């Protein structure tokens, strides 16, 4: 031993095993190396581990290129997108104004309901007028047939026969009521469909937004402060002909 100390029996046995099996290292040799300060000496600069940073530098360079493209090319595209978004916002606002004009939450007049009621009243009025015309034509036809039966064959009888043909044309012309009624019914259905779509679109936004918009102009005309509603609906207050005649007395 270098320090003159007597070796332990365990060390002697370790040396024997090392001589019998060259190249092997046991735990005692490791412990001895651990106790040796020279074994724990730091690595020299030549022995230091070198890391490959090429991939990191390439990623940083790629990120820098993206940033340059964003600041140059993409910035122009973003400005164009902002302009388009502003245009879309303006069109949405204009659409809301048009929808509020059709169905304003605070308006007294319901445009769609008013149109449907007026068209329904047109169908009812034409039906009533058509029935009156047919009834009068039937009475005329009965009178003509009665007179013809009392006249002999001749000019008078022939002219009454012509009157029968004219009455028949009146009956045929009264078929217009069925055709106009069907067409007006289709228009009413189309208005109902549009009304449902408008209500569905308005439900997408908050109703309070439409309440702040200006009210649409009234569809009724005024005469010196008197609102003219047009024909009175069924059950409404009407002025009798006697009251009208009293105005001219």
């Amino acid at each position: 031993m270098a320090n003159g100390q007597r070796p332990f029996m365990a060390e002697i046995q370790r040396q024997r095993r090392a001589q019998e099996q060259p190249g092997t290292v046991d735990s005692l040799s490791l412990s001895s190396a651990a106790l040796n300060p020279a074994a724990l000496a730091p690595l020299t600069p030549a022995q230091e581990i070198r890391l490959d940073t090429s991939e990191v530098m390439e990623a940083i360079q790629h990120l820098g290129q993206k940033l340059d493209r964003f600041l140059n090319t993409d910035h122009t595209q973003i400005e164009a997108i902002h302009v388009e978004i502003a245009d879309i916002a303006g069109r949405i606002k204009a659409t809301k104004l048009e929808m509020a004009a059709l169905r304003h939450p605070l308006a007294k007049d319901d445009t769609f309901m008013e149109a449907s009621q007026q068209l329904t009243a047109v169908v009812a009025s034409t039906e009533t007028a058509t029935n009156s015309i047919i009834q009068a034509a039937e009475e005329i036809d009965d009178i003509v047939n009665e007179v013809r039966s009392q006249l002999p064959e001749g000019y008078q009888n022939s002219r009454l026969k012509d009157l029968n043909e004219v009455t028949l044309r009146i009956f045929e012309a009264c078929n217009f009521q069925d055709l106009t009624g069907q067409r007006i019914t289709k228009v009413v259905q189309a208005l109902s469909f549009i009304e449902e779509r408008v209500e569905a679109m308005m439900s997408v936004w908050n109703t309070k937004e439409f309440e702040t918009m200006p009210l649409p102009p009234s569809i009724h005309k005024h005469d010196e402060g008197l609102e003219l509603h047009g024909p009175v609906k069924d059950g409404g207050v009407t002025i009798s002909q006697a009251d009208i005649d009293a105005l001219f007395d």
Side-chain angles (χ1 to χ4, degrees):
M1 301 293 291
N3 55 8
Q5 294 181 358
R6 184 179 178 180
F8 295 100
M9 183 59 67
E11 293 179 352
I12 295 172
Q13 292 178 359
R14 178 179 58 78
Q15 293 177 358
R16 290 178 180 178
R17 287 195 300 270
Q19 293 175 358
E20 294 175 356
Q21 299 178 356
T24 60
V25 180
D26 56 7
S27 61
L28 290 176
S29 62
L30 295 175
S31 63
S32 299
L35 295 175
N36 187 6
L40 300 177
L43 297 175
T44 62
Q47 294 174 336
E48 292 180 356
I49 300 175
R50 296 182 179 179
L51 297 177
D52 185 9
T53 61
S54 60
E55 295 183 0
V56 178
M57 296 302 296
E58 184 179 355
I60 294 174
Q61 184 179 4
H62 183 64
L63 181 61
Q65 293 175 355
K66 283 187 175 180
L67 181 60
D68 293 339
R69 186 171 61 253
F70 170 76
L71 294 177
N72 297 326
T73 306
D74 294 347
H75 185 67
T76 304
Q77 296 179 355
I78 290 175
E79 290 182 353
I81 293 174
H82 286 170
V83 173
E84 292 180 0
I85 291 175
D87 182 65
I88 293 173
R91 294 178 184 273
I92 291 176
K93 184 177 180 180
T95 303
K96 288 182 178 180
L97 291 173
E98 295 297 332
M99 292 170 60
L102 291 173
R103 181 176 287 277
H104 199 286
L106 303 180
K108 297 180 180 180
D109 299 329
D110 191 334
T111 307
F112 291 104
M113 183 178 295
E114 180 72 18
S116 298
Q117 291 177 352
Q118 294 294 340
L119 291 175
T120 302
V122 169
V123 174
S125 298
T126 55
E127 182 179 1
T128 301
T130 303
N131 291 333
S132 299
I133 293 172
I134 292 175
Q135 183 178 0
E138 290 177 347
E139 293 178 359
I140 293 174
D141 192 61
D142 292 338
I143 294 173
V144 170
N145 290 331
E146 182 179 355
V147 174
R148 282 189 62 196
S149 61
Q150 302 297 327
L151 293 177
E153 293 294 336
Y155 176 78
Q156 293 81 1
N157 196 308
S158 178
R159 294 297 293 168
L160 290 176
K161 183 179 179 181
D162 295 338
L163 186 58
N164 286 126
E165 294 179 355
V166 173
T167 306
L168 181 60
R169 290 203 300 269
I170 294 175
F171 289 137
E172 293 175 351
C174 287
N175 291 329
F176 82 94
Q177 194 276 330
D178 293 333
L179 299 176
T180 55
Q182 294 174 9
R183 291 188 172 94
I184 292 176
T185 301
K186 290 182 179 180
V187 174
V188 173
Q189 293 175 353
L191 288 174
S192 300
F193 176 80
I194 297 173
E195 182 181 11
E196 292 176 358
R197 299 285 74 77
V198 171
E199 290 180 352
M201 292 177 64
M202 294 182 66
S203 64
V204 176
W205 293 291
N206 188 3
T207 308
K208 298 295 183 181
E209 296 182 12
F210 294 94
E211 293 180 356
T212 59
M213 295 180 181
L215 290 169
S218 178
I219 60 177
H220 300 297
K221 296 181 179 180
H222 293 77
D223 184 9
E224 296 183 357
L226 179 63
E227 187 174 9
L228 305 178
H229 293 282
V232 180
K233 300 177 182 179
D234 294 339
V237 179
T238 59
I239 300 177
S240 63
Q241 185 63 39
D243 296 333
I244 296 175
D245 295 337
L247 296 175
F248 297 97
D249 293 340

